[in-house]
Amino acid sequence: MNDRFLRACRREPVDRVPVWYMRQAGRYDPDYRKIKEKYTLLEICRQPELAAEVTMMPVRKLGVDAAILYSDIMNPVASIGIDFDIVKDIGPVIHNPVRSAADVDRLKPVDPEGDLGHVLETIRILDRELGVPLISFAGAPFTLASYLVEGKPSKSYMRTKALMYGDPETWHKLMGKLADMAAAYLRAHAAAGAKAVQLFDSWVGSLAPHDFAAFVQPHVESIFAQLADLSLPKIYFPGVSSGELLPLLTDLRADVVGLDWRVPLSEGRRRTGGRFAVQGNLDPYVLTAPMDVIQAHARRLVDEGTREPGFIFNLGHGLYPEASLDKLRELTEYVHAYSAQKLSSSEVSS
Ligand code: CP3
């Protein structure tokens, strides 16, 4: 088993910098697009053999050091009573949005074994077949609430913030239920064989630090506290434009913080108190550039990231559909080769 990724999460020495890409299973791959002509995302997820295959495709094609479960942050919310679809070119669309105290009251606890057995079965298959660690994931409470309350993807999060500012009691009840859902769901993933977990809080950077502290932070902390007895590495990804929130994360019981590209790696380390491994943070659109430009950015990140132990090469946000498979493969090889040379010639290893 290639455990380079897990070692970097724990800030142990590695022979070269581990690489994976957020949204690495996806539409930039023509073979994936062929599968998508036949099945929707949710239909793939309900077929464990196929979902496992889609999870493994980027590992084989890109040479990455970790796999991320093929699923979506919306998957578990069906189990708590949310009726949704993932609509092509839009994203998650909710048929019964959560807008009132009564809507929150009717949400049930998640039942991973009863309602999401197909996800657990996919993890069990991957646990047998993968040669790299499997990362499973859940959506963080704010990011999930932004879909459940708005009813669809939003740029302003107006309804979400209206509930948050206007009815804090209902807001905290909703966040508490979503936090408990994430914790129970990820615990079931760990029992099925996931080797690391990532909490995606993609849109929480839309909040000011004082609002993050008042309305979100206790619930994110609750998730990691509920998982504290599990020894597997835990990653918090506070999403895009989250640099100002980083100083609030110092006490989080996680091992790795994901950074977006606006925050230099060393600054991300400093703001979070120096106790986390860092993951990131190439601007995904750097991948539109010629290979020599991409490599220059990769060198900059590896040079900065390997100054201290605990660096995982990734993007600052997910891959976009037009990304090039060939460039991604070449980038992975380049980061491996450049960092291997650097780490073997220096005392400090990451
Ligand atoms: O490769 C991987 O990273 C694993 C699979 C994965 C998906 N979604 C599959 C997916 C992961 C980790 C996610 C997480 C996810 N889903 C996030 C957090 C990460 C991020 O990008 O910020 C969010 C916010 C969602 C919600 C979501 N799902 C949106 C906004 C969309 C539509 C936008 C888009 O990219 O199309 C989806 C659909 C979705 N989830 C797709 C995939 C591969 C694309 C549509 C499809 O192929 O059916």
Side-chain angles (χ1 to χ4, degrees):
M1 162 80 115
N2 163 1
D3 69 344
R4 196 174 285 131
F5 163 76
L6 297 175
R7 294 180 61 83
C9 289
R10 296 192 206 100
R11 308 179 76 218
E12 293 167 4
V14 287
D15 58 342
R16 54 191 193 182
V17 166
V19 181
W20 71 280
Y21 304 107
M22 289 190 279
R23 303 296 299 273
Q24 68 190 14
R27 290 159 297 178
Y28 66 89
D29 178 357
D31 291 332
Y32 173 77
R33 290 202 297 270
K34 253 181 245 152
I35 296 171
K36 278 304 301 284
E37 281 166 18
K38 279 221 269 326
Y39 305 110
T40 66
L41 180 140
L42 295 173
E43 285 166 353
I44 297 172
C45 294
R46 281 189 215 105
Q47 301 174 68
E49 292 287 347
L50 185 58
E53 174 59 24
V54 174
T55 303
M56 289 189 281
M57 277 162 37
V59 178
R60 288 195 213 107
K61 293 186 187 204
L62 305 179
V64 286
D65 299 283
I68 182 155
L69 181 70
Y70 184 80
S71 179
D72 192 82
I73 58 168
M74 294 302 291
N75 250 348
V77 304
S79 175
I80 70 170
I82 300 287
D83 185 13
F84 72 95
D85 276 315
I86 294 186
V87 180
K88 192 172 170 347
D89 300 327
I90 298 180
V93 174
I94 286 75
H95 305 299
N96 53 347
V98 176
R99 305 252 167 94
S100 68
D103 293 337
V104 175
D105 283 339
R106 70 178 163 72
L107 298 177
K108 304 172 286 184
V110 69
D111 178 4
E113 284 78 15
D115 295 332
L116 297 152
H118 52 281
V119 177
L120 303 181
E121 181 55 23
T122 306
I123 295 174
R124 284 186 207 104
I125 294 170
L126 288 163
D127 191 33
R128 291 194 294 270
E129 296 189 9
L130 267 177
V132 296
L134 175 69
I135 305 165
S136 85
F137 65 92
F142 180 87
T143 293
L144 280 178
S146 80
Y147 292 108
L148 301 192
V149 177
E150 305 288 333
K152 60 180 188 329
S154 162
K155 289 210 161 69
S156 68
Y157 315 103
M158 184 178 73
R159 284 177 184 275
T160 313
K161 291 183 180 181
L163 180 68
M164 186 178 92
Y165 293 121
D167 186 354
E169 194 184 327
T170 299
W171 171 262
H172 282 294
K173 238 192 219 172
L174 172 61
M175 297 296 276
K177 285 190 171 193
L178 294 175
D180 292 347
M181 178 190 84
Y185 184 57
L186 292 176
R187 178 174 291 280
H189 289 189
K195 297 294 181 281
V197 293
Q198 175 157 327
L199 192 68
F200 278 98
D201 216 347
S202 306
W203 315 130
V204 80
S206 70
L207 294 180
H210 51 90
D211 286 330
F212 176 78
F215 294 111
V216 177
Q217 189 176 356
H219 304 288
V220 171
E221 287 180 353
S222 151
I223 295 172
F224 289 106
Q226 290 184 57
L227 299 174
D229 61 306
L230 301 178
S231 63
L232 82 184
K234 303 168 194 91
I235 308 168
Y236 181 54
F237 174 60
V240 285
S241 305
S242 56
E244 303 303 322
L245 306 182
L246 297 175
L248 294 166
L249 304 183
T250 48
D251 294 330
L252 206 61
R253 295 171 84 172
D255 307 276
V256 185
V257 169
L259 301 173
D260 96 328
W261 58 92
R262 294 169 184 85
V263 184
L265 295 171
S266 49
E267 181 61 13
R269 280 194 164 116
R270 194 188 64 75
R271 289 187 191 181
T272 50
R275 25 171 302 268
F276 296 95
V278 290
Q279 176 173 278
N281 63 350
L282 187 73
D283 182 335
Y285 295 103
V286 165
L287 295 167
T288 60
M291 208 55 220
D292 59 323
V293 176
I294 300 173
Q295 288 174 347
H297 280 268
R299 279 199 301 279
R300 173 180 55 77
L301 288 172
V302 169
D303 288 346
E304 192 173 358
T306 56
R307 267 187 232 154
E308 286 178 48
F311 172 51
I312 299 146
F313 189 95
N314 203 313
L315 308 173
H317 196 205
L319 274 174
Y320 52 95
E322 297 81 6
S324 148
L325 205 156
D326 290 335
K327 283 184 182 175
L328 282 165
R329 183 190 300 125
E330 225 179 299
L331 173 61
T332 312
E333 275 171 20
Y334 185 78
V335 170
H336 281 159
Y338 179 72
S339 63
Q341 190 190 19
K342 198 174 163 78
L343 290 167
S344 68
S345 65
S346 89
E347 292 288 319
V348 190
S349 36
S350 77

